[in-house]
Amino acid sequence: MLSFTTAHVAVIALRVREPDRERPYRMPWNVRIRGSDIPMTAVLGAIGTSAAWCAVVALHGEARTIGIPWMIAGMAGYFYYRHHQGLDPRKDYRIERAERPPDFQELEYRTALVPIFGEDVSATALSSAAKLIGTDGVLYAIFVLPVPSQLSLEAGLEEEEAQGRSVLESARIKARRAGIKIHTGLIRTRNPGAAIVEEAQRVGADVIYWSTIHAPTGEQRIGPTAAYLLSKRPCRVIIETENRPPRVATPVSA
């Protein structure tokens, strides 16, 4: 109740101290007193909340026993902290922000390439990459379909390819609902890392956003594809990994 009382009194004090302050909205029932527009809603609110506090303190013994000492301890702590820091308890202070280093270079990305492995139908990697490039940037989402050496690049893996196109379609719908400009494509390759590098060079990507969370088991964390991207680096490479320790198999006695 006292916090509400303080808020109402602060509104009244601002009307008196800064009468010309820009106020997009004013509560009704304002009364002009000594050149200041005093809101009656704040006056009535301050009276009502302070009266409620007095009633609680008067009628409830536990409020007096616990509440008042707790308030006194809080105020004592406040004044002690201000005194310890060498600050006037009646003044406001603004902490200065640290300045940027002289050699600081702000990075700006316009295009991002997002490889998709597995079943990332939630498009979490696309959402994270979209935050890097902003509303005017363009995302290039590619589904990477590794093809074993015993199969032809153009034939086989029809079910996997259909699944990949379904994932891309789902990602395209969710990205467009979020207002993200997106282009999608599917790549059949024997070397995922080399295919991603070539695609990044082809579209002129500023950054490759590689998420290993939904990647196959062999590609999680820093797998072969991530290592290849870091070694070639056609542009900046950002790798997102799952922040949890790897699972250790527990032996079970028969």
Side-chain angles (χ1 to χ4, degrees):
M1 290 298 99
L2 281 184
S3 64
F4 284 111
T5 303
T6 304
H8 290 303
V9 173
V11 172
I12 300 172
L14 278 175
R15 292 289 184 92
V16 176
R17 294 179 181 179
E18 301 181 21
D20 299 328
R21 184 184 183 94
E22 182 182 358
R23 294 177 171 88
Y25 175 77
R26 287 175 179 245
M27 289 294 292
W29 302 351
N30 293 279
V31 177
R32 193 163 188 82
I33 302 176
R34 295 184 180 181
S36 301
D37 291 332
I38 305 301
M40 289 296 101
T41 51
V43 173
L44 295 175
I47 295 174
T49 52
S50 61
W53 181 80
C54 292
V56 169
V57 172
L59 299 177
H60 297 276
E62 62 272 17
R64 295 191 300 271
T65 305
I66 300 175
I68 293 179
W70 182 258
M71 291 174 55
I72 295 174
M75 292 298 295
Y78 169 78
F79 283 105
Y80 171 78
Y81 175 80
R82 282 295 182 112
H83 177 73
H84 182 71
Q85 297 293 326
L87 304 175
D88 189 337
R90 298 167 298 178
K91 293 184 179 180
D92 295 333
Y93 296 90
R94 185 181 298 272
I95 300 177
E96 296 183 1
R97 294 185 178 182
E99 296 183 358
R100 291 181 176 181
D103 56 346
F104 177 81
Q105 181 181 2
E106 185 174 356
L107 301 178
E108 183 179 5
Y109 304 117
R110 307 294 299 175
T111 56
L113 180 68
V114 184
I116 299 177
F117 275 84
E119 302 179 358
D120 187 14
V121 294
S122 61
T124 53
L126 294 177
S127 301
S128 301
K131 297 177 182 178
L132 294 175
I133 62 176
T135 56
D136 297 330
V138 180
L139 288 179
Y140 292 88
I142 59 170
F143 188 92
V144 182
L145 181 60
V147 180
S149 57
Q150 64 269 24
L151 297 179
S152 171
L153 279 175
E154 292 76 19
L157 301 178
E158 287 80 6
E159 292 184 4
E160 290 80 357
E161 181 173 341
Q163 176 189 351
R165 297 193 182 280
S166 175
V167 170
L168 287 175
E169 182 63 23
S170 176
R172 184 188 300 111
I173 293 173
K174 294 185 178 182
R176 290 182 176 175
R177 285 178 180 174
I180 302 172
K181 299 177 183 178
I182 185 171
H183 299 280
T184 60
L186 186 143
I187 297 179
R188 300 170 64 101
T189 179
R190 302 195 193 280
N191 188 335
I196 294 172
V197 169
E198 293 176 3
E199 187 67 12
Q201 294 172 339
R202 186 186 70 82
V203 301
D206 295 328
V207 61
I208 297 176
Y209 193 93
W210 167 261
S211 176
T212 64
I213 296 177
H214 297 274
T217 304
E219 295 289 357
Q220 292 179 358
R221 298 187 179 274
I222 306 299
T225 303
Y228 187 93
L229 293 177
L230 292 174
S231 64
K232 297 301 180 181
R233 278 194 299 248
C235 56
R236 290 190 178 272
V237 179
I238 297 178
I239 299 178
E240 176 188 9
T241 61
E242 192 170 14
N243 188 21
R244 65 173 59 179
R247 294 182 178 179
V248 179
T250 303
V252 179
S253 57

